[in-house]
Amino acid sequence: MDRDDRYTAAMIRMRSRIGWLIVAFLLFCGTMPAVRAQDAGKPLVIGMELNYPPFEMTDASGGPTGVGVDMARALAAYLHRPLDIQNMPFEGLIPALKTGRIDLIISSMTATDERRKSIDFSDPYLSTGLSILVKKNGAIESIADVDKPGMIVTVKTGTTTADYARDHFTNATVLPLQQDTACALEVVQGKADAFLYDQMSIYQFAKKNPETTRGLLAPFQKESWAIGIRKGNVELEKQVNAFLADFKARKGFDALGDKYLKEDKEAFKQMGFPFYF
């Protein structure tokens, strides 16, 4: 083979390699989320209320931590964007999203038809239900026993339990409070007969106060949590849903359950309740 033939053969091999590199690059890009040019490098601003352990809370140094925080970090990494977590009261999250102060809500928020009138939601990432914390020696055994004259029921403002009480109770006295700990304390101290909240929190409050309370954990209403997205932001919604599918496939939710909820996960298994993710 003369020099010209060797040169031609080398060029053919080089073009072939370049062709395969282009194909590999395109396949790799196909697995990456489509980030709009104007969003590249722009912080992803996520709103949450850091007062809901173990999902959204602060650590000993005051920094954000918890299931929702780890999800937010994983989502920002997936989108190759810096993360900016904004801590705010739960009832202020939807207004902040609608006005553009934040890009997303990750705050253990239930996707409801009422909220869908104001914002959009991602695919659900967690299934739970509403349960009841009651006085240990009280007469309440189910949700049917709550709406009776003389009963005092606490609910956290801005939550689906507040909506449930508004829509279903006509006889009981409903006491809305801003903090779930204050709601539970009313029952612990015997000032209220019941506190309506999510299943995991009721389990935690009852476990911490076994002398004065008990938890009716069988859900009287099933719910799903999702990520809140501003209406019309279709591209970001696609990216978020792609992340959730990828995170689930990589067992990310299983890892979060083991990291933050291992003991509770085992307890729910023993009680025969399905566990969340």
Side-chain angles (χ1 to χ4, degrees):
M1 182 182 294
D2 60 26
R3 186 172 65 181
D4 290 340
D5 290 339
R6 289 196 298 271
Y7 176 78
T8 301
M11 289 299 295
I12 291 172
R13 288 195 298 271
M14 182 178 293
R15 288 171 180 169
S16 177
R17 289 171 183 168
I18 291 173
W20 278 112
L21 286 171
I22 292 172
V23 170
F25 176 76
L26 291 173
L27 287 173
F28 174 76
C29 289
T31 66
M32 302 297 288
V35 180
R36 296 180 300 178
Q38 62 265 37
D39 290 338
K42 181 181 177 182
L44 182 68
V45 185
I46 296 181
M48 59 180 68
E49 182 185 45
L50 296 174
N51 190 33
Y52 187 57
F55 291 94
E56 295 87 27
M57 55 187 178
T58 55
D59 58 22
S61 62
T65 188
V67 174
V69 174
D70 283 7
M71 278 181 58
R73 288 171 176 154
L75 173 58
Y78 180 83
L79 296 178
H80 302 285
R81 295 175 61 178
L83 176 63
D84 179 5
I85 291 178
Q86 292 291 314
N87 181 20
M88 58 186 67
F90 190 83
E91 57 266 30
L93 290 168
I94 289 180
L97 181 63
K98 292 173 67 177
T99 58
R101 181 179 169 189
I102 59 177
D103 298 313
L104 296 169
I105 298 171
I106 299 181
S107 196
S108 305
M109 180 171 282
T110 303
T112 67
D113 291 339
E114 183 66 26
R115 287 172 178 156
R116 288 183 192 279
K117 296 176 183 178
S118 299
I119 64 173
D120 289 333
F121 283 101
S122 69
D123 295 334
Y125 64 85
L126 182 147
S127 297
T128 183
L130 302 183
S131 299
I132 317 171
L133 183 73
V134 299
K135 292 190 290 188
K136 186 171 184 177
N137 298 318
I140 297 174
E141 297 296 337
S142 72
I143 194 66
D145 300 323
V146 177
D147 187 30
K148 294 182 178 179
M151 291 290 182
I152 300 175
V153 185
T154 59
V155 294
K156 182 179 177 180
T157 56
T159 65
T160 53
T161 50
D163 295 339
Y164 184 94
R166 177 198 65 204
D167 296 339
H168 293 84
F169 293 168
T170 56
N171 297 304
T173 298
V174 178
L175 177 62
L177 299 171
Q178 290 189 332
Q179 300 297 330
D180 55 359
T181 50
C183 292
L185 186 60
E186 292 291 308
V187 180
V188 171
Q189 294 180 344
K191 299 176 182 178
D193 299 283
F195 168 38
L196 311 185
Y197 210 33
D198 71 274
Q199 192 180 37
M200 172 60 72
S201 296
I202 294 299
Y203 168 72
Q204 292 286 352
F205 283 124
K207 185 171 70 170
K208 291 176 182 177
N209 302 280
E211 298 85 4
T212 55
T213 70
R214 55 192 170 94
L216 304 180
L217 297 179
F220 61 86
Q221 178 171 288
K222 293 184 178 180
E223 298 182 336
S224 295
W225 293 353
I227 297 174
I229 306 166
R230 190 160 46 253
K231 277 194 172 296
N233 201 341
V234 178
E235 189 58 42
L236 184 56
E237 182 176 347
K238 290 179 181 178
Q239 294 170 7
V240 169
N241 285 335
F243 159 75
L244 290 174
D246 177 75
F247 195 65
K248 183 176 182 178
R250 291 187 289 107
K251 306 296 183 182
F253 289 113
D254 292 336
L256 290 180
D258 290 338
K259 179 179 179 180
Y260 291 103
L261 300 158
K262 191 169 185 178
E263 181 182 338
D264 306 277
K265 189 175 181 179
E266 182 59 32
F268 271 62
K269 181 179 179 181
Q270 292 178 5
M271 290 185 289
F273 294 120
F275 190 78
Y276 303 112
F277 299 115

